[in-house]
Amino acid sequence: MGIRETLNKNPSITTGVTAGIVILAIGVIVWQLFGGSNPMSGSAEAKQYFSDDDGVTYFADSASKIPPFDHSGKQAVRAQVFQCGDTGKPFVGILQRYTPDAKTKLEQIQGGKAANMAMEDIEITGLEIKKPKTGSWIKQADPRAGSISRVTCPDGKSDQLRSVTPN
């Protein structure tokens, strides 16, 4: 039996794997926001994608910005951008933002006014996600977050899906 069949017959494993991937992605994002460095980037500032129109479009900005933030009078949130294969058109698969309380704590940590000890709690209880152009924001810890975090190509397949990051 292949991996796909195993995952289809065991939704709890699928949920666990998805949650693990999401937690790993969050960890990478936090690492980049708070002190991570990319030796290939030289002295260039790390960038991430954001959207201020519910994922219709996206733009690159400083990875140190904590979403949501003001961008030309609109609220900008983090945009996870994906592409199907090497020639597919990039698209926003997931939007992320922090609750007001979590954002305040992250700003205090970033400014050196608070300890890093609460990071895991902030990422679990203070991060909200949603699909672009649909639904409402839900907490990362919500059981429904697993289905929101599953991104597929427009043809429904995921085998050629890859994350796209700003240069």
Side-chain angles (χ1 to χ4, degrees):
M1 179 171 9
I3 293 173
R4 181 172 285 237
E5 291 84 14
T6 301
L7 292 175
N8 285 339
K9 290 183 180 181
N10 298 296
S12 60
I13 291 174
T14 303
T15 302
V17 168
T18 302
I21 291 169
V22 168
I23 290 171
L24 179 63
I26 289 169
V28 169
I29 290 167
V30 170
W31 178 73
Q32 289 176 342
L33 281 174
F34 301 103
S37 63
N38 181 352
M40 302 301 288
S41 67
S43 62
E45 180 181 15
K47 301 250 184 217
Q48 288 186 336
Y49 285 126
F50 298 93
S51 177
D52 62 8
D53 58 7
D54 204 26
V56 175
T57 62
Y58 57 91
F59 60 92
D61 206 333
S62 172
S64 66
K65 292 194 174 184
I66 302 170
F69 60 88
D70 181 68
H71 179 257
S72 302
K74 298 181 194 174
Q75 187 180 68
V77 297
R78 185 175 298 122
Q80 297 295 321
V81 179
F82 298 89
Q83 182 176 15
C84 297
D86 292 331
T87 58
K89 180 182 177 190
F91 64 96
V92 176
I94 304 169
L95 297 170
Q96 299 173 316
R97 71 176 185 189
Y98 291 98
T99 62
D101 183 52
K103 181 174 178 171
T104 299
K105 289 177 185 175
L106 288 170
E107 289 169 340
Q108 290 172 344
I109 291 168
Q110 197 175 45
K113 298 176 186 169
N116 244 355
M117 296 171 41
M119 284 304 301
E120 185 175 319
D121 182 54
I122 291 170
E123 290 301 319
I124 292 171
T125 62
L127 185 65
E128 297 177 319
I129 65 172
K130 74 184 267 327
K131 291 276 190 197
K133 302 173 278 201
T134 61
S136 57
W137 292 96
I138 65 165
K139 300 258 187 194
Q140 179 66 40
D142 188 300
R144 297 173 292 166
S147 64
I148 290 173
S149 298
R150 266 185 238 115
V151 178
T152 59
C153 293
D155 63 5
K157 298 180 182 176
S158 297
D159 59 337
Q160 299 236 338
L161 184 71
R162 65 180 182 90
S163 180
V164 178
T165 57
N167 293 334

